Amino acid sequence: MRRRALFSLVALGLVVGLASPAQAVLTESKVTGDDTAGSYVLANTTDGSDETMARCSEGRRQQNEPTVAVDPTDTEVVVAGSNDYCASIVNNEVWAGYYRSTDGGQTWSLSLVPGYPDDTSDAGEASPVHGSCGASGDPTQSFDGDGNLFYGFICFNRSKPINGGVYVARYSDHGAVYDQTVLVKRGTPSGLFQSGLFQDKINLTADQTDGEHSGNVYVAWSQYNAFAPTNAVLFSRSTDTGDTWSKPFKVTPNEHGTASFADLAVGPDGAVYLTYLTYPSSSRPTADVWLLRSDDGGVSFGAPSHVASIELFDSNQFAGATGTVDCGDGPFTCESGFTFSRFFSNSAVAADDDGVHVVWASELPSGQNKVFVRNSADGGETWDDDPIALDEEEVGHQWFPDIASADGVLTAIFYDSRSDPEYDADRPPGNDADGVNSGDVVQAFVGQSSDGGETWKETVVSSAGSNFGWKTHGSRRVGFWGDYLYVSAVPDAVNVVWTDSRDLMSGDDPRDGAVENDFAVYQPCTYVPNDINAPAYTSPTIADACLDQGGLDQNIYGARL
């Protein structure tokens, strides 16, 4: 039985943009072309390579959690990033991918952020992450107004010491030249989330205005103190183009309890906005969206402004009694019988001449999950009366919204399962009532508003559907599609990116000799499985060439609007 949250959305009088979805954007492109020899090269070279670059180029592995940034000084330059599992073929772990386009996002050059374990380049060996952490991810990016690109990420180990540090890399010359990576905040050695401090879920933005704080770079993230109720959002800034970073400080008040999923934006006057979520506790029984504002370039923040109380849309509510965040087969089968990768509620913020705009996903009383926005004309001091739904579709879940603003137009991107013929509010996207794959029914949508967020028009931007139940998590027989998608908007250009499964080669999973609920992807691999219900089972090694045949070929796609 699906768990129901106890508290409903703050308002039901929803204002809706009554527009039907348009046709797919013609400028859609595949970002991560890891199926062509020589497609990945070392940073700062046009033809340099190593074993990792060579295997990445043809590995057809997973990429997820995409990020994108358009250069405001040259809008033909677009950079993107992801959790890139191509690195695992040689290094046994995921790494932060770095992709750059000079034609508005139509074609891409591919690389990894320097410092991965097998990186023997000068840039790699000089990085503070080299030799200290084996995995990196959670990419976030922003250009400043001078063509410098800042790439934030976390770097950690899955066994002791975990570290879980926050780092920011800088690329100059419109993102073409890698300069350095700088540590912002180090975690403490620990077991993963069991003890110590783990830095996670970061977001970064730069001040592109011509005001007194122009060029400042801001980063916020979650600091997890094991499973304690003191998890908080921390913040740091750089005033010298990323060479040094201020001492991080906690921006969420103690009375808010656990806080996470920070998102940042800079307004036209240089004000810094930070939104985050808090979760139900004994002192506050609702999940809530909050906004912080800094008027002094990130030196300090005012009191939190309450944006909305929401119904969480978290994947564990579809698992059954165990409340697992992701469900697959074999040892990872859940009581409910459904198959899905993890997802959850998040919020994001944009600021422009019309004010500040916060977007989030939340459940209706019917159980359908929708994307909402709330607008404030005075920087978050007061809010419009009601949250505004981006549409009035009565079927399909919507999740992982992001928002940006330029040229008087707000753009929000999100995933949507409205095309699912088996949609039911009590089922995760892409499952029928028996937990069987209902098809590639998830697409990336954008909503745009030219009246300050009051009304919205939607467009579907992915020409092919995806299913978030495909088991793409390597040896674990579950899916993983990341924790967000991304939009970047500057004057004259808007680019969006999403994770996509259209290139997956699906088929029988040899670990049990059959398609399991039609979500299997390992058909090219041949080996003798153990008992699928045993805690341990036989899997191919990460470097096994059978995994290069498309069974894990999850890619990043993007579009210019």
Side-chain angles (χ1 to χ4, degrees), residues 105-463:
Q106 287 304 289
T107 61
W108 298 84
S109 58
L110 310 177
S111 188
L112 300 177
V113 174
Y116 48 88
D118 201 49
D119 189 354
T120 59
S121 68
D122 291 343
E125 292 187 335
S127 171
V129 302
H130 191 259
S132 67
C133 48
S136 73
D138 280 19
T140 176
Q141 298 171 319
S142 180
F143 278 98
D144 66 12
D146 294 319
N148 297 301
L149 185 279
F150 299 91
Y151 189 124
F153 62 98
I154 65 169
C155 198
F156 59 97
N157 299 307
R158 295 189 194 274
S159 59
K160 294 182 180 180
I162 292 298
N163 301 322
V166 171
Y167 296 83
V168 176
R170 184 182 70 212
Y171 291 75
S172 58
D173 191 19
H174 307 281
V177 178
Y178 169 81
D179 291 336
Q180 64 180 6
T181 295
V182 176
L183 173 68
V184 179
K185 177 72 164 66
R186 190 184 305 278
T188 57
S190 63
L192 185 59
F193 298 119
Q194 301 297 319
S195 62
L197 302 178
F198 189 89
Q199 319 302 325
D200 199 8
K201 304 193 186 311
I202 71 172
N203 189 258
L204 176 149
T205 194
D207 187 333
Q208 299 175 356
T209 73
D210 56 4
E212 63 176 311
H213 305 300
S214 177
N216 280 8
V217 189
Y218 308 109
V219 63
W221 66 94
S222 301
Q223 178 171 271
Y224 293 121
N225 183 10
F227 289 107
T230 54
N231 298 345
V233 172
L234 302 188
F235 176 87
S236 178
R237 68 174 189 153
S238 174
T239 60
D240 55 8
T241 325
D243 285 340
T244 61
W245 292 83
S246 65
K247 182 179 179 180
F249 64 96
K250 179 181 176 181
V251 294
T252 49
N254 291 336
E255 59 267 26
H256 280 183
T258 297
S260 192
F261 298 110
D263 191 73
L264 289 162
V266 176
D269 60 354
V272 183
Y273 295 96
L274 190 162
T275 184
Y276 62 94
L277 294 187
T278 57
Y279 301 89
S281 66
S282 57
S283 60
R284 190 178 187 95
T286 56
D288 295 278
V289 180
W290 301 87
L291 182 77
L292 294 167
R293 187 180 78 197
S294 172
D295 296 314
D296 54 12
V299 174
S300 62
F301 286 84
S305 173
H306 184 254
V307 182
S309 296
I310 70 171
E311 290 265 16
L312 294 174
F313 181 67
D314 293 351
S315 56
N316 60 2
Q317 64 190 354
F318 297 105
T322 59
T324 309
V325 298
D326 48 18
C327 296
D329 64 16
F332 306 104
T333 300
C334 289
E335 179 191 52
S336 67
F338 294 128
T339 297
F340 53 85
S341 59
R342 79 184 189 202
F343 53 84
F344 38 75
S345 296
N346 71 298
S347 62
V349 60
D352 55 24
D353 289 332
D354 291 318
V356 61
H357 317 273
V358 177
V359 67
W360 67 89
S362 176
E363 280 192 4
L364 296 172
S366 66
Q368 183 188 19
N369 199 61
K370 303 286 286 183
V371 172
F372 297 89
V373 66
R374 205 168 192 192
N375 308 298
S376 172
D378 54 13
E381 293 185 15
T382 61
W383 296 91
D384 291 352
D385 289 340
D386 294 324
I388 296 167
L390 267 62
D391 61 61
E392 60 176 7
E393 290 289 325
E394 295 182 354
V395 299
H397 292 300
Q398 301 171 347
W399 70 102
F400 285 176
D402 191 31
I403 190 169
S405 181
D407 297 322
V409 177
L410 286 163
T411 301
I413 183 171
F414 53 94
Y415 289 124
D416 195 303
S417 66
R418 69 182 64 177
S419 67
D420 190 347
E422 299 293 335
Y423 165 76
D424 186 282
D426 289 326
R427 293 199 285 267
N431 284 250
D432 70 9
D434 296 321
V436 175
N437 187 327
S438 60
D440 290 329
V441 296
V442 175
Q443 290 182 287
F445 276 69
V446 296
Q448 291 189 299
S449 173
S450 56
D451 59 6
E454 293 299 317
T455 60
W456 294 79
K457 181 179 180 180
E458 291 181 301
T459 303
V460 57
V461 293
S462 52
S463 62

Side-chain angles (χ1 to χ4, degrees), residues 473-554:
H473 209 313
S475 60
R476 293 190 71 230
R477 292 162 67 176
V478 297
F480 180 66
W481 293 80
D483 296 341
Y484 51 84
L485 33 61
Y486 231 91
V487 55
S488 176
V490 301
D492 301 321
V494 180
N495 282 70
V496 295
V497 287
W498 63 92
T499 303
D500 199 291
S501 68
R502 73 185 69 182
D503 303 306
L504 280 173
M505 302 292 291
S506 62
D508 290 355
D509 186 338
R511 286 169 292 193
D512 57 11
V515 175
E516 184 76 19
N517 293 337
D518 289 329
F519 287 104
V521 292
Y522 273 359
Q523 93 292 348
C525 295
T526 56
Y527 53 94
V528 178
N530 289 335
D531 179 357
I532 64 168
N533 295 311
Y537 53 88
T538 302
S539 292
T541 64
I542 288 175
D544 196 320
C546 73
L547 296 176
D548 297 352
Q549 306 305 308
L552 297 174
D553 197 11
Q554 181 190 66

